[in-house]
Amino acid sequence: QVQLVESGGGSVQTGGSLTLSCAISTTTTSQLCLGWFRQAPGKELEPVASLFTGATTRLYSRSVEGRFTISHNKNTLYLEMNSLRPEDTATYSCAAGYENCDGGVCRCGGEDSETYNSWGQGTQVTVSS
């Protein structure tokens, strides 16, 4: 079982920056699918970015690509957020899961939130105009 705890949320003005952290408690993070998701009031859960700790590929949603950077170091997942906009206001949650293997091909769920089986409690990010 993977336990996740986010931190780093807060309030900033448009154009500002924040870095979110997600502390990962598990025996090993060497083969984990990790992702950041966000949910604004009245809206559906939205994927933000994801990675696989066993590879260098990073995936970003179109709305954050070029502004956000996902990274991982040992037992911490990060989301560096730059050029923040009011529409980035949401509760951000980190998630962890494992690769799904089919026919010898294994891959992470990426944007599919249902493939992640561990979630943090979320941290609020508010961007004011």
Side-chain angles (χ1 to χ4, degrees), residues 21-86:
S21 299
C22 174
I24 306 166
S25 296
T26 185
T27 52
T28 178
T29 61
S30 62
Q31 300 288 315
L32 272 183
C33 304
L34 299 172
W36 286 99
F37 292 79
R38 67 185 183 185
Q39 189 166 24
K43 295 189 176 182
E44 293 186 351
L45 188 68
E46 176 188 6
V48 175
S50 62
L51 60 78
F52 175 55
T53 59
T56 58
T57 302
R58 307 291 185 256
L59 299 177
Y60 296 93
S61 69
R62 188 170 299 179
S63 62
V64 308
E65 192 162 17
R67 300 187 298 123
F68 291 11
T69 302
I70 187 172
S71 62
H72 163 255
N73 182 19
K74 294 183 179 179
N75 285 72
T76 305
L77 178 68
Y78 300 97
L79 184 68
E80 180 182 350
M81 306 184 294
N82 297 310
S83 302
L84 283 163
R85 306 166 180 168

Side-chain angles (χ1 to χ4, degrees), residues 6-11 17-22 81 123-125:
E6 302 97 336
S7 61
S11 298
S17 299
L18 282 173
T19 296
L20 306 182
S21 299
C22 174
M81 306 184 294
T123 185
Q124 178 67 35
V125 172

